[in-house]
Amino acid sequence: MRLNSVRHRATLGLAAVGAAALAASLLTPGVALAASSGVTLPPVHAGFDYQIGGAYTPPAGVDVVSRDHTDAPAAGKYTICYVNAFQAQPGSEDDWGSDLLLHDAQGDVVYDDSWGEALLDVSTAAKQKAVAAKVDAWIDDCASKGFNAVEPDNFDSYTRSGKLLTKGEAQAYIKLLSAHAHEKGLAIAQKNTSALSVNRAANGLDFAIAEECGTYDECNDYTDYFGDNVIVIEYTAKGLKKACSGWGDELSVVRRDLDVSPIGSKGYVRQTC
């Protein structure tokens, strides 16, 4: 998740966008093929549910679901597989080994303090390949389970690294993930990191998942390069209102509670335009 303020937070030519729209019109309504990779994208402006906090039966009207890679895909739905690709889950540092965790000049592991997640070290080509090898195994699992796409979270970790990581290193690493996802027949999302949308084609990214782009007036930063292939997640009523007002007729928009709780649990919130 992003929450750059709450959680952590050259151009794709008009001709290319037009070509994508034409391709979509020749397929099932709202479903497009990524021209560069031949993978199937999520249907645009579709009912969406964000279930990375736990899987449950999708509500009526939902056609696209995102779930954690440890869960099964939603039957009959376009399902996106969530992986924490740039940070270690809390308490899982030993699963990575010290050499793949980012350390500061004092030798201390660098954390995303908002979520207690250690940053992964993608500062060299060798480390990018080593980290990617572990994430690729998750991607393989996503593909074997029948997911349609993968959502690698924390692309923007370099912004929380105290300048120990760069955007160039983050992009070099995500190119490894996108190439592997495409080999497995999966589309791959750019998660947040609006400043890098301009490089979405070079990075091999097919669609965008944008947390709070309505709240922070960033949705244009995604649609300028991904067209309508953008999924918006808001966490407040105000954010949902803004996103729906500006983009509710074009993009998939949903509001979830901050913990992305399963339905029936305390705190569960799900609203749409």
Side-chain angles (χ1 to χ4, degrees):
M1 296 172 68
R2 161 209 182 159
L3 306 180
N4 206 5
S5 306
V6 188
R7 197 205 206 250
H8 19 277
R9 287 247 188 291
T11 299
L12 172 65
L14 291 177
V17 175
L22 177 60
S25 70
L26 299 176
L27 298 166
T28 302
V31 179
L33 288 180
S36 62
S37 58
V39 297
T40 303
L41 298 183
V44 300
H45 193 223
F48 174 71
D49 198 14
Y50 207 39
Q51 297 188 4
I52 66 170
Y56 52 88
T57 301
V62 168
D63 295 311
V64 181
V65 176
S66 186
R67 288 180 172 176
D68 190 78
H69 69 95
T70 59
D71 287 323
K77 311 296 181 184
Y78 186 104
T79 315
I80 302 163
C81 193
Y82 173 95
V83 295
N84 194 352
F86 288 78
Q87 299 181 179
Q89 291 291 97
S92 70
E93 292 89 343
D94 289 345
D95 294 342
W96 289 93
S98 179
D99 60 322
L100 294 183
L101 301 178
L102 185 66
H103 293 77
D104 62 20
Q106 288 72 46
D108 296 324
V109 174
V110 179
Y111 280 85
D112 174 353
D113 291 331
S114 296
W115 294 90
E117 297 179 352
L119 272 63
L120 301 176
D121 189 349
V122 295
S123 61
T124 69
K127 290 189 175 185
Q128 291 159 15
K129 291 179 181 178
V131 174
K134 185 174 180 69
V135 177
D136 284 349
W138 295 339
I139 292 174
D140 292 347
D141 194 36
C142 296
S144 67
K145 286 181 175 180
F147 282 89
N148 304 101
V150 62
E151 172 192 350
D153 201 4
N154 293 309
F155 189 20
D156 59 350
S157 285
Y158 70 91
T159 66
R160 298 183 290 280
S161 71
K163 299 185 178 180
L164 295 173
L165 299 174
T166 69
K167 63 182 180 181
E169 292 160 356
Q171 291 176 101
Y173 166 55
I174 208 164
K175 288 176 184 178
L176 300 178
L177 302 184
S178 63
H180 189 77
H182 290 156
E183 288 175 3
K184 295 297 179 178
L186 301 176
I188 183 168
Q190 175 176 308
K191 180 69 173 293
N192 302 320
T193 327
S194 61
L196 299 184
S197 295
V198 64
N199 297 328
R200 49 82 54 193
N203 290 332
L205 302 172
D206 303 306
F207 65 103
I209 297 178
E211 290 176 298
E212 301 191 291
C213 73
T215 296
Y216 297 104
D217 297 318
E218 295 175 343
C219 296
N220 274 331
D221 296 337
Y222 298 99
T223 59
D224 283 350
Y225 302 101
F226 290 94
D228 289 347
N229 291 304
V230 179
I231 294 170
V232 179
I233 305 157
E234 298 290 338
Y235 295 102
T236 66
K238 182 177 180 181
L240 178 67
K241 183 177 180 180
K242 288 183 67 176
C244 290
S245 175
W247 302 100
D249 293 336
E250 302 171 46
L251 307 181
S252 298
V253 181
V254 70
R255 178 192 174 192
R256 287 301 327 269
D257 56 283
L258 188 57
D259 292 328
V260 201
S261 308
I263 194 168
S265 60
K266 183 178 180 180
Y268 169 82
V269 173
R270 182 182 183 273
Q271 298 173 332
T272 59
C273 298

